[in-house]
Amino acid sequence: GPLRERPLMEVRLGELHTWISTCTFTPQGLLGAVQRAWSSYCAKYIHVKQGGPAGISMLLAGYCLLSYGWNYQHFKRHRWRKYH
Amino acid sequence: MLSRLVLRAAPAALRALQPHVAVGVLHTTRPLHTTQQSLAPVPPLPEKGGEVRHGLIPEEFFQFLYPKTGVTGPYMLGTGLLLYFLSKEIYVVNHETAAAACILTVIVYGIKKFGADVAAFADKLNEEKLASAVAMKNEALQTLQTAIEEEKKEQWRAEGRSYLFDARRNNIAMLLEANYRERLLTVYNEVKKRLDYQVAMQNLKRQKEQDHMIQWVEKSVVQSITPQQQKESIAKCILDLKALSKSAHAAV
């Protein structure tokens, strides 16, 4: 289909730039995008008859990475070596 | 949002209209089923979720890298990234690393050991819920089925109403006939009694007249016999008797 309606996974790397330019960056648009992403994640990994640990473990892993990123400046002070 | 405004404005607008128009307008101010989707029947849940390798990385990533790097590509990428982060100390090894390692070990061990049992237990719970819902549905279907059959039976019974009415009509006609005949018999008996009475009266009267007349005739005859005639008749009878006895003697 046309570039505007394709989901992100089906956009090729070369077309990424044009795809981003077609997005609406209004608050409603961003909120809608976040909602769509969350509902598609839930539908794929959580609302199934036989889910495994994968559903929440990916969320926890993402949370761990995000919190490491937010506290990176604090961790930088406890490096073992000064020069890398 | 706009529909709510319309709904709030609707009562005031309706009050302004005539009463007999407001009834028809009410149906057009409510938004009903304007979307294409309908919520029922709900599609069933998919059986299995998306494939995830090692519990953390979706399978789509491995498939994405497979054409260019084959099977070991993502693992090489992972190892390279890990070593890069460690060597440049973008990931700093501190006490939290040890804590994370212990926690992860325990979690993985727990999942590997008890995962299947927990999954079976959850499946059993789900199955029980589903079975009870299905049982309710079947019961409702059964009740409705029996209700349909009962209804059909009642309809069949209602068809036989005409026979019932015919039988009842016959019964009533017979009762009427019997009653009529009874009354007819009563009438006949009564009339016969009256007529018999009249006949008996007439007979009695005639008899009485006859008796009275006979008595009167006898009495007058007896009275008319004077003593002179009595003596003469007695003498005549004696003479007759003597003559008879003489003839009887002669015959013997």
Side-chain angles (χ1 to χ4, degrees):
Chain A
L3 186 54
R4 180 181 276 277
E5 276 106 38
R6 258 189 271 168
L8 183 55
M9 284 293 130
E10 292 171 22
V11 173
R12 307 181 90 86
L13 270 175
E15 297 165 355
L16 197 61
H17 198 234
T18 38
W19 185 86
I20 289 183
S21 65
T22 62
C23 274
T24 53
F25 286 106
T26 62
Q28 283 104 328
L30 286 174
L31 199 65
V34 167
Q35 227 173 7
R36 260 177 290 131
W38 174 248
S39 65
S40 61
Y41 176 81
C42 276
K44 187 159 181 200
Y45 292 106
I46 299 182
H47 297 319
V48 289
K49 277 192 196 146
Q50 284 179 341
I56 22 167
S57 75
M58 279 200 283
L59 286 174
L60 288 175
Y63 170 69
C64 289
L65 289 176
L66 263 182
S67 61
Y68 188 87
W70 285 332
N71 297 333
Y72 183 62
Q73 298 302 319
H74 171 77
F75 288 126
K76 236 166 77 163
R77 285 184 225 133
H78 298 296
R79 280 180 169 172
W80 291 51
R81 295 282 186 271
K82 199 169 159 189
Y83 300 106
H84 300 102
Chain B
M1 233 164 45
L2 289 173
S3 59
R4 226 174 288 170
L5 280 174
V6 169
L7 278 177
R8 240 181 247 147
L14 280 177
R15 255 179 257 127
L17 290 172
Q18 305 293 330
H20 53 273
V21 179
V23 176
V25 171
L26 183 64
H27 295 293
T28 58
T29 50
R30 269 186 66 199
L32 298 167
H33 289 298
T34 46
T35 59
Q36 290 285 40
Q37 293 173 323
S38 67
L39 293 173
V42 177
L45 291 176
E47 279 292 326
K48 294 187 82 58
E51 279 287 318
V52 172
R53 222 189 267 203
H54 305 299
L56 280 181
I57 307 154
E59 190 69 31
E60 281 84 5
F61 184 66
F62 292 83
Q63 297 305 322
F64 176 66
L65 290 180
Y66 181 78
K68 296 287 185 216
T69 57
V71 181
T72 53
Y75 294 108
M76 287 292 112
L77 181 65
T79 317
L81 274 177
L82 190 65
L83 289 175
Y84 168 68
F85 288 145
L86 281 174
S87 81
K88 286 283 185 195
E89 282 209 292
I90 296 176
Y91 176 71
V92 178
V93 174
N94 50 8
H95 62 284
E96 286 182 16
T97 313
C102 297
I103 291 173
L104 277 177
T105 317
V106 168
I107 287 179
V108 167
Y109 175 73
I111 287 181
K112 285 269 189 284
K113 188 144 189 223
F114 302 114
D117 292 338
V118 169
F121 178 71
D123 281 344
K124 196 158 72 76
L125 285 179
N126 264 355
E127 282 230 2
E128 277 168 21
K129 273 193 244 173
L130 204 65
S132 72
V134 165
M136 262 201 318
K137 180 183 99 163
N138 282 346
E139 206 180 295
L141 275 177
Q142 204 60 36
T143 336
L144 287 173
Q145 197 73 20
T146 44
I148 287 175
E149 268 154 43
E150 294 274 310
E151 184 63 32
K152 285 218 167 74
K153 197 146 190 212
E154 289 299 316
Q155 280 176 349
W156 171 79
R157 277 199 195 133
E159 278 171 24
R161 253 183 327 179
S162 60
Y163 298 124
L164 190 69
F165 292 157
D166 280 344
R168 282 205 187 147
R169 234 177 271 133
N170 282 350
N171 277 358
I172 288 175
M174 260 200 283
L175 276 177
L176 284 174
E177 184 76 24
N179 218 348
Y180 170 70
R181 289 207 185 158
E182 216 178 280
R183 282 198 228 126
L184 208 61
L185 189 67
T186 321
V187 162
Y188 166 77
N189 283 343
E190 289 294 310
V191 166
K192 186 157 180 309
K193 271 200 278 186
R194 274 154 185 66
L195 288 177
D196 284 348
Y197 171 75
Q198 293 299 324
V199 162
M201 277 287 286
Q202 277 180 0
N203 285 347
L204 185 70
K205 194 162 175 193
R206 174 163 309 157
Q207 197 161 346
K208 284 290 178 225
E209 280 174 359
Q210 259 183 353
D211 287 347
H212 184 258
M213 194 170 292
I214 288 171
Q215 263 186 357
W216 185 76
V217 163
E218 280 182 2
K219 200 164 76 169
S220 62
V221 162
V222 163
Q223 269 181 354
S224 71
I225 300 178
T226 59
Q228 178 64 29
Q229 274 180 323
Q230 208 170 352
K231 271 189 206 161
E232 283 180 12
S233 61
I234 286 176
K236 184 112 190 339
C237 287
I238 292 172
L239 281 172
D240 283 335
L241 275 172
K242 277 184 184 166
L244 274 172
S245 71
K246 273 187 195 153
S247 64
H249 266 292
V252 169

mmCIF file of all heavy atoms in Angstrom, chain B residues 18 41 104 146 149 164 174-175 212 245:
data_model
loop_
_atom_site.group_PDB
_atom_site.id
_atom_site.type_symbol
_atom_site.label_atom_id
_atom_site.label_comp_id
_atom_site.label_asym_id
_atom_site.label_seq_id
_atom_site.Cartn_x
_atom_site.Cartn_y
_atom_site.Cartn_z
ATOM 1 N N GLN B 18 -43.684 20.162 19.398
ATOM 2 C CA GLN B 18 -44.993 19.685 19.822
ATOM 3 C C GLN B 18 -44.848 18.285 20.378
ATOM 4 O O GLN B 18 -43.975 17.558 19.968
ATOM 5 C CB GLN B 18 -45.947 19.649 18.615
ATOM 6 C CG GLN B 18 -46.068 20.979 17.894
ATOM 7 C CD GLN B 18 -46.744 22.011 18.762
ATOM 8 O OE1 GLN B 18 -47.576 21.649 19.604
ATOM 9 N NE2 GLN B 18 -46.399 23.266 18.580
ATOM 10 N N PRO B 41 -19.884 -11.408 17.605
ATOM 11 C CA PRO B 41 -19.172 -12.251 18.557
ATOM 12 C C PRO B 41 -17.685 -11.915 18.610
ATOM 13 O O PRO B 41 -17.074 -11.597 17.606
ATOM 14 C CB PRO B 41 -19.382 -13.662 18.001
ATOM 15 C CG PRO B 41 -19.594 -13.462 16.547
ATOM 16 C CD PRO B 41 -20.218 -12.115 16.367
ATOM 17 N N LEU B 104 18.677 -13.255 38.191
ATOM 18 C CA LEU B 104 18.383 -13.899 36.916
ATOM 19 C C LEU B 104 18.539 -15.413 37.017
ATOM 20 O O LEU B 104 17.707 -16.165 36.480
ATOM 21 C CB LEU B 104 19.295 -13.349 35.824
ATOM 22 C CG LEU B 104 18.833 -12.043 35.209
ATOM 23 C CD1 LEU B 104 19.830 -11.539 34.188
ATOM 24 C CD2 LEU B 104 17.476 -12.219 34.554
ATOM 25 N N THR B 146 -36.677 -27.332 24.623
ATOM 26 C CA THR B 146 -37.867 -27.923 25.243
ATOM 27 C C THR B 146 -39.028 -26.935 25.177
ATOM 28 O O THR B 146 -40.177 -27.337 24.974
ATOM 29 C CB THR B 146 -37.594 -28.282 26.711
ATOM 30 O OG1 THR B 146 -36.900 -27.215 27.305
ATOM 31 C CG2 THR B 146 -36.824 -29.564 26.812
ATOM 32 N N GLU B 149 -40.494 -27.212 21.830
ATOM 33 C CA GLU B 149 -41.309 -28.420 21.666
ATOM 34 C C GLU B 149 -42.651 -28.299 22.384
ATOM 35 O O GLU B 149 -43.692 -28.710 21.854
ATOM 36 C CB GLU B 149 -40.547 -29.641 22.176
ATOM 37 C CG GLU B 149 -39.761 -30.317 21.078
ATOM 38 C CD GLU B 149 -38.592 -31.060 21.650
ATOM 39 O OE1 GLU B 149 -38.787 -31.712 22.677
ATOM 40 O OE2 GLU B 149 -37.497 -30.970 21.072
ATOM 41 N N LEU B 164 -63.037 -30.858 20.378
ATOM 42 C CA LEU B 164 -63.524 -30.667 21.744
ATOM 43 C C LEU B 164 -64.864 -29.959 21.734
ATOM 44 O O LEU B 164 -65.805 -30.358 22.423
ATOM 45 C CB LEU B 164 -62.482 -29.849 22.516
ATOM 46 C CG LEU B 164 -62.713 -29.752 24.027
ATOM 47 C CD1 LEU B 164 -62.492 -31.092 24.650
ATOM 48 C CD2 LEU B 164 -61.792 -28.726 24.613
ATOM 49 N N MET B 174 -77.489 -33.544 23.811
ATOM 50 C CA MET B 174 -78.092 -34.718 24.442
ATOM 51 C C MET B 174 -78.787 -34.352 25.739
ATOM 52 O O MET B 174 -79.901 -34.845 26.027
ATOM 53 C CB MET B 174 -77.013 -35.772 24.703
ATOM 54 C CG MET B 174 -77.039 -36.845 23.658
ATOM 55 S SD MET B 174 -76.247 -38.317 24.202
ATOM 56 C CE MET B 174 -74.554 -37.862 24.023
ATOM 57 N N LEU B 175 -78.139 -33.479 26.515
ATOM 58 C CA LEU B 175 -78.760 -33.061 27.768
ATOM 59 C C LEU B 175 -80.091 -32.384 27.502
ATOM 60 O O LEU B 175 -81.104 -32.649 28.177
ATOM 61 C CB LEU B 175 -77.824 -32.085 28.493
ATOM 62 C CG LEU B 175 -76.745 -32.719 29.343
ATOM 63 C CD1 LEU B 175 -75.867 -31.629 29.932
ATOM 64 C CD2 LEU B 175 -77.358 -33.516 30.462
ATOM 65 N N HIS B 212 -128.568 -45.293 43.050
ATOM 66 C CA HIS B 212 -129.647 -44.533 43.659
ATOM 67 C C HIS B 212 -130.977 -44.887 43.013
ATOM 68 O O HIS B 212 -132.000 -45.102 43.681
ATOM 69 C CB HIS B 212 -129.342 -43.047 43.509
ATOM 70 C CG HIS B 212 -130.343 -42.206 44.188
ATOM 71 N ND1 HIS B 212 -131.362 -41.529 43.525
ATOM 72 C CD2 HIS B 212 -130.510 -41.939 45.499
ATOM 73 C CE1 HIS B 212 -132.087 -40.882 44.367
ATOM 74 N NE2 HIS B 212 -131.604 -41.091 45.610
ATOM 75 N N SER B 245 -144.151 -79.596 43.882
ATOM 76 C CA SER B 245 -143.754 -80.811 44.600
ATOM 77 C C SER B 245 -144.530 -82.004 44.058
ATOM 78 O O SER B 245 -143.964 -83.100 43.920
ATOM 79 C CB SER B 245 -144.005 -80.633 46.088
ATOM 80 O OG SER B 245 -145.371 -80.635 46.389
#
